[in-house]
C-alpha cells in the first residue's frame, strides 16, 4: 500500500501570536483530513544561523541539518508568511537561502500570505512564488491571501470570515491531491487535473 503524502507546513513568522501560524494550521488541518501526513515547522524551535554568503557557508549546523532533513523527507510544502514591507519575512528569507534544490526540486508547494492592510499579502506571495519556481518546485495556481490580519481570527484562532476559512481548507486539500497525482499518476492525468483546477480568485 502506498504511503500517505508527507507535507511540511512552514511558518515564516516568529511572532508568538502569529496570525500566519493560525492560517497555516487551518490549511494543515485540511491536509490531514484529506489523508496527508502533515508536520508544522515553527522557526522558533530552530535557531538557524544567518547566511551571510552562499559561497562561504559557516559549516555544519545542527538546526540547519535538521530542517533540511525535514524538507527532503516531504513530498509537498505548505509555506506561509506575513507580508513585511511589501515582501515575505526576513526569517523565511534566511530559511530559504539556507535550503537548495535538494530540498525543493520536484515538490508541490502551496502558499499562504497574511497582511495587516486591505490589499493582503499579494507581493509576498508573488515573491515566494518566484523563489519556489527558481528552486524547481511546482507551485499551485491557487494561493490564499489574508487581509486585515488584526481581526481576521478570533480568540480561538478560527477565521472570522467563512470565505477565508474555506479557501485555506481548499488549499490544503488541493495540495494533497496534486502531490498524489504528481507522485503516482501518469503525466496526462496530472496535466488534465492541473488544467481543471480552480482559477485563482485574486487571493
Amino acid at each position: 500500500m502506498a504511503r500517505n503524502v508527507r507535507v511540511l507546513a512552514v511558518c515564516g513568522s516568529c511572532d508568538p501570536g502569529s496570525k500566519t501560524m493560525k492560517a497555516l494550521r487551518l490549511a494543515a488541518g485540511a491536509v490531514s483530513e484529506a489523508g496527508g501526513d502533515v508536520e508544522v515547522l515553527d522557526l522558533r524551535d530552530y535557531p538557524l544561523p544567518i547566511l551571510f554568503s552562499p559561497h562561504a557557508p559557516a559549516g555544519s549546523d545542527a538546526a540547519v541539518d535538521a530542517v533540511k532533513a525535514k524538507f527532503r523527507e516531504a513530498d509537498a510544502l505548505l509555506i506561509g508568511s506575513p507580508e513585511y514591507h511589501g515582501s515575505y519575512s526576513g526569517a523565511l528569507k534566511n530559511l530559504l537561502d539556507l535550503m537548495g534544490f535538494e530540498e525543493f526540486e520536484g515538490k508541490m508547494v502551496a502558499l499562504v500570505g497574511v497582511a495587516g492592510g486591505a490589499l493582503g499579502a499579494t507581493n509576498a506571495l508573488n515573491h515566494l512564488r518566484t523563489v519556489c519556481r527558481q528552486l524547481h518546485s511546482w507551485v499551485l495556481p491557487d494561493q490564499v491571501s489574508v487581509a486585515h490580519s488584526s481581526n481576521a481570527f478570533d480568540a480561538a484562532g478560527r477565521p472570522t470570515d467563512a470565505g477565508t476559512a474555506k479557501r485555506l481548507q481548499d488549499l490544503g486539500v488541493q495540495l494533497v491531491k496534486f502531490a498524489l497525482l504528481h507522485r503516482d499518476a501518469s503525466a496526462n492525468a496530472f496535466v488534465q487535473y492541473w488544467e481543471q483546477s480552480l482559477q485563482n480568485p485574486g487571493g
Side-chain angles (χ1 to χ4, degrees), residues 46-200:
Y46 297 89
L48 299 173
I50 295 175
L51 181 66
F52 290 105
S53 170
H55 306 294
S60 178
D61 181 273
V64 175
D65 292 343
V67 172
K68 282 189 173 185
K70 292 181 181 297
F71 269 79
R72 291 173 182 173
E73 291 167 0
D75 299 303
L77 304 169
L78 175 61
I79 301 177
S81 179
E83 181 163 301
Y84 295 153
H85 302 316
S87 190
Y88 56 95
S89 71
L92 183 56
K93 172 62 175 170
N94 187 60
L95 168 68
L96 296 177
D97 286 346
L98 289 164
M99 301 299 111
F101 292 112
E102 291 184 18
E103 288 73 41
F104 272 84
E105 191 164 20
K107 298 185 191 300
M108 286 292 157
V109 179
L111 300 175
V112 175
V114 177
L119 296 179
T122 304
N123 287 328
L125 290 168
N126 287 340
H127 295 170
L128 278 172
R129 184 172 293 272
T130 298
V131 170
C132 291
R133 288 172 58 190
Q134 186 70 23
L135 290 169
H136 297 177
S137 59
W138 294 82
V139 187
L140 296 188
D142 289 344
Q143 59 188 20
V144 178
S145 175
V146 180
H148 298 298
S149 61
S150 62
N151 57 10
F153 299 89
D154 62 20
R158 297 180 298 248
T160 55
D161 175 65
T164 298
K166 187 176 187 306
R167 289 198 302 274
L168 288 165
Q169 290 165 342
D170 288 347
L171 188 70
V173 172
Q174 194 175 99
L175 180 59
V176 173
K177 289 182 177 179
F178 275 119
L180 279 171
L181 285 167
H182 186 47
R183 189 180 71 186
D184 298 327
S186 68
N188 288 336
F190 176 78
V191 172
Q192 182 180 15
Y193 190 91
W194 189 280
E195 291 175 344
Q196 292 175 352
S197 66
L198 297 174
Q199 293 184 354
N200 185 352

